[in-house]
């Protein structure tokens, strides 16, 4: 996916088991949708906590933060509680949404705990992608660029 593309709609459960649909989220404004490899890993924790720490900046810009990984609802819930994450984390257990967004890795990477490429999609309220941020090493660039693209 690239800027200008239409983001694929999906419906997945969040860490509370509530099903979230992208099209319904977009009715409330733009979305910073960040895919991360796995909860409780150092890089993903740093990235998720940075999204948490910028809550007021995202609120001011009217941008929703949504995380998504292959972790199940229980693991997402435990991670949310441990780090006081204040936004939905979606459970894409079978990787179908990661596949639709082009960020699903091969089985080899999945076997070593990296089933999803760390990628953020800044999605405008009309469903078009404003920016695609892909970095495996700079955990803060995802939130910073999403804010810049949508703010």
């Amino acid at each position: 996916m690239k800027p200008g593309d239409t983001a694929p709609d999906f419906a997945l459960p969040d860490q509370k088991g509530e099903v979230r649909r992208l099209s319904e989220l977009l009715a409330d404004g733009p979305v910073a949708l960040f895919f991360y490899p796995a909860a409780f890993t150092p890089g993903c924790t740093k990235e998720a906590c940075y999204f948490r720490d910028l809550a007021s900046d995202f609120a001011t810009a009217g941008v929703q933060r949504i995380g998504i990984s292959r972790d199940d609802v229980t693991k997402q819930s435990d991670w949310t509680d441990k780090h006081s994450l204040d936004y939905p984390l979606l459970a894409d257990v079978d990787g179908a949404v990661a596949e639709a967004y082009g960020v699903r890795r091969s089985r080899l990477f999945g076997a070593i705990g990296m089933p999803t490429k760390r990628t953020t999609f800044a999605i405008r309220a009309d469903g078009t992608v404003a920016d695609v941020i892909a970095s495996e090493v700079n955990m803060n660039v995802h939130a910073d660029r999403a804010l810049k693209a949508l703010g």
Side-chain angles (χ1 to χ4, degrees):
M1 291 192 45
K2 62 188 181 309
D5 288 350
T6 298
D9 197 14
F10 59 80
L12 290 173
D14 67 12
Q15 69 270 37
K16 297 175 185 173
E18 179 182 337
V19 175
R20 305 288 188 123
R21 181 174 296 280
L22 179 62
S23 54
E24 293 172 359
L25 293 164
L26 290 172
D28 292 329
V31 169
L33 180 68
F34 69 99
F35 287 85
Y36 56 95
F40 290 103
T41 59
C44 295
T45 298
K46 182 176 180 179
E47 179 184 21
C49 289
Y50 190 63
F51 269 99
R52 176 203 63 207
D53 295 346
L54 294 179
S56 63
D57 296 292
F58 278 96
T60 298
V63 177
Q64 302 167 81
R65 300 155 295 147
I66 309 292
I68 185 169
S69 75
R70 301 277 306 270
D71 298 308
D72 65 25
V73 170
T74 301
K75 189 171 182 184
Q76 301 281 33
S77 179
D78 292 346
W79 197 44
T80 295
D81 292 345
K82 180 171 181 162
H83 296 287
S84 301
L85 302 175
D86 61 341
Y87 50 84
L89 296 177
L90 308 181
D92 181 27
V93 177
D94 66 2
V97 176
E99 182 77 29
Y101 279 76
V103 298
R104 184 174 180 170
R105 292 188 192 267
S106 69
R107 290 181 196 259
L108 171 65
F109 281 101
I112 61 169
M114 298 286 290
T116 306
K117 296 174 189 174
R118 185 182 316 281
T119 309
T120 299
F121 296 89
I123 306 170
R124 297 180 190 100
D126 68 1
T128 60
V129 175
D131 196 6
V132 178
I133 304 102
S135 176
E136 297 287 349
V137 296
N138 185 340
M139 305 311 161
N140 293 354
V141 71
H142 295 266
D144 290 341
R145 276 191 42 197
L147 268 172
K148 183 178 179 183
L150 298 171

